[in-house]
Amino acid sequence: MLGRPKFVLASGSPRRLSLLNQAGIEPDALRPADVDETPKRGELPRACANRLARAKADAALKSVQLDDELRGAFILSADTVVAVGRRILPKANLVDEAAQCLRLLSGRNHRVYTAITLVTPREAFRQRLVETRVRFKRLSEDDIQAYIGSGEWRGKAGGYAVQGIAGSFVVKMVGSYSNVVGLPLYETTTLLGGEGFPIRFGWLNATAI
Ligand SMILES: Cc1cn([C@H]2C[C@H](O)[C@@H](COP(=O)(O)OP(=O)(O)OP(=O)(O)O)O2)c(=O)[nH]c1=O
C-alpha cells in the first residue's frame, strides 16, 4: 500500500507547527522561507497576506523540487497580518513598535488575516484568506508596560500573541481563533482534504487535556 503523501510546512513558526500537530498532521520536513515581509506602499492587508503566503510557498517549492525525498510533496505556507482599517501593523521586534501597536489596539476592533497557500503534488497553487475580528479592552499604560515586560509580543504580527497573556485583552472575537494564532485549522484541513491529503482524526492519539 502506498503511504500517505509527503507534507512540507513552509514555515519556521513553532505556533504553526503546533497548530498543524493539533489537527493530526506531522510534516515530513520544515522549509521556512526567507522572504522580505515588508508591505508594499499602499498595499492593503488582504493583498499583503496573500502575496507573502504565495512568496513563501514559491520559495519552498524551489527547495522541494531539488530534493529527491520530497519531490511531489504537499507544501503549506501561511502569512498573518494584523490590521486596523487599511493600516497594516508591523511584526513587532522592538519595544517601541510593540507599545505603539498596543496603544492603537487598545479599546478598538481590529482584524487578523491569515492567508494560506497550498501547493499540490501536481504543483497547482491553492489559496485561502481567513479573517477574524478581534476587540481588545482598553489598555492602560501600566497594562502596556507590563505586557512589554513579558516579551511575548516579539516577532508577532500586531505586537501581541493571543495564545498567551494577551488572551485576557480580548473582549470579543468573531471568527477563527487558530487563524489569529497563525493557521486557520478548519480552512487548512478542508483545503488539504479537498486536494486528496488524508485527514483522519482516527489516527490520532488524544492530546487534549
Ligand atoms: C496576532 C498573532 C500573531 N502571532 C504570530 C503568528 C506568526 O508566527 C506571526 C506573524 O508572522 P508571519 O510572517 O505570518 O510568520 P512567521 O515569520 O512567524 O513564520 P513563517 O513566515 O516562517 O511562517 O505572528 C501569534 O503567534 N499570535 C497572535 O495572536
Side-chain angles (χ1 to χ4, degrees):
M1 197 183 91
L2 286 173
R4 81 145 169 76
K6 290 265 160 71
F7 185 91
V8 172
L9 178 61
S11 173
S13 161
R15 280 89 48 183
R16 294 207 168 105
L17 177 60
S18 107
L19 284 165
L20 258 189
N21 292 161
Q22 192 186 325
I25 301 169
E26 302 275 353
D28 297 285
L30 302 178
R31 289 288 180 276
D34 189 17
V35 303
D36 178 0
E37 301 203 13
T38 320
K40 296 191 167 166
R41 264 182 85 90
E43 191 172 35
L44 293 175
R46 292 163 184 271
C48 182
N50 278 327
R51 177 176 64 80
L52 293 176
R54 169 75 197 219
K56 292 175 190 180
D58 278 334
L61 176 60
K62 287 201 179 79
S63 120
V64 163
Q65 282 167 336
L66 298 172
D67 188 328
D68 287 340
E69 296 287 312
L70 295 176
R71 208 169 294 129
F74 283 87
I75 302 169
L76 181 76
S77 68
D79 190 80
T80 300
V81 166
V82 174
V84 175
R86 298 159 70 96
R87 179 164 168 190
I88 298 176
L89 273 57
K91 222 157 92 168
N93 288 307
L94 303 170
V95 165
D96 282 355
E97 276 175 333
Q100 276 180 28
C101 286
L102 294 165
R103 283 181 202 121
L104 194 66
L105 296 173
S106 169
R108 313 214 6 214
N109 291 315
H110 64 276
R111 289 169 201 262
V112 182
Y113 301 95
T114 296
I116 55 175
T117 302
L118 178 69
V119 188
T120 71
R122 296 181 165 196
E123 298 188 4
F125 283 72
R126 306 276 181 247
Q127 190 119 359
R128 295 283 182 276
L129 191 275
V130 183
E131 175 183 328
T132 305
R133 282 193 289 140
V134 184
R135 182 177 183 84
F136 269 13
K137 70 170 188 171
R138 278 186 84 86
L139 299 170
S140 67
E141 202 49 37
D142 281 354
D143 291 334
I144 291 174
Q145 291 313 322
Y147 188 67
I148 294 293
S150 78
E152 286 190 3
W153 47 272
R154 249 178 237 286
K156 310 292 194 311
Y160 75 91
V162 75
Q163 65 272 35
I165 298 165
S168 62
F169 301 164
V170 176
V171 174
K172 186 173 178 183
M173 184 180 287
V174 181
S176 161
Y177 172 82
S178 53
N179 186 55
V180 180
V181 184
L183 193 69
L185 285 182
Y186 165 69
E187 291 77 4
T188 300
T189 53
T190 304
L191 186 59
L192 274 163
E195 291 299 330
F197 187 87
I199 306 283
R200 298 208 187 108
F201 300 116
W203 289 355
L204 284 179
N205 294 319
T207 53
I209 46 166

